[in-house]
Amino acid sequence: MVFQYTNAFVTIASVNCEELVHFYTRFLEQKPIILIPNIYAEFDLVGMRLGIFKPKNTNESEFEAMSNDKPFYVYAKSKISLCLEVSNLEDAIAHLTALGYPPPGKISIADHGREIYAYDPDGNRLILHQAIVNDN
């Protein structure tokens, strides 16, 4: 038997579902394609979908924050990041800053381009990346 799938998407669990939906609506500058208030929202991104859901009460402990200090909740460090390729890194940083979530570090230079780490209201890591453009 061959394993087949029809689609792939990333989901973020949050007990603060509405706050994250509001953040991603403003950050991505689009409304969710699916919205069940305070339960689930789904955004259609280039090449994938991003889902945000509120875990059921019986599963909340698996997704709890270690600290509820504002403006960022503190979670155990995650090895997974939402990486978005952007056409202009400075514009993306300015957009996040205007939303009240400025990246805490500086732009780093990698072999594959420039990038910066930022965080959503729940402390999930966002990597904004601008590829090197070859003019050859």
Side-chain angles (χ1 to χ4, degrees):
M1 177 178 226
V2 175
F3 170 72
Q4 294 182 357
Y5 63 93
T6 59
N7 202 351
F9 54 100
V10 173
T11 60
I12 300 173
S14 179
V15 294
N16 307 301
C17 187
E18 287 298 310
E19 183 178 1
L20 272 193
V21 170
H22 181 69
F23 170 80
Y24 281 100
T25 298
R26 293 179 12 211
F27 177 54
L28 300 171
E29 297 181 330
Q30 66 172 275
K31 292 181 179 179
I33 58 170
I34 298 172
L35 178 62
I36 304 169
N38 207 31
I39 295 174
Y40 184 77
E42 189 172 298
F43 296 89
D44 193 13
L45 306 181
V46 176
M48 68 171 243
R49 290 193 178 169
L50 172 65
I52 299 169
F53 70 98
K54 180 176 175 106
K56 293 185 181 197
N57 292 341
T58 55
N59 297 330
E60 265 186 25
S61 64
E62 185 162 339
F63 301 101
E64 281 179 342
M66 294 168 35
S67 166
N68 289 328
D69 296 337
K70 293 275 185 170
F72 300 109
Y73 295 87
V74 178
Y75 291 81
K77 291 183 179 179
S78 175
K79 295 180 181 186
I80 296 176
S81 302
L82 177 59
C83 186
L84 298 174
E85 182 76 33
V86 298
S87 57
N88 185 299
L89 190 56
E90 286 77 10
D91 286 351
I93 292 168
H95 183 57
L96 268 175
T97 301
L99 294 176
Y101 296 91
K106 296 187 183 302
I107 294 172
S108 63
I109 307 299
D111 291 339
H112 56 279
R114 302 180 317 134
E115 63 187 28
I116 194 162
Y117 290 6
Y119 300 89
D120 72 13
D122 260 11
N124 298 301
R125 185 184 314 102
L126 305 170
I127 300 176
L128 304 178
H129 176 266
Q130 182 178 348
I132 297 171
V133 177
N134 291 329
D135 293 330
N136 299 348

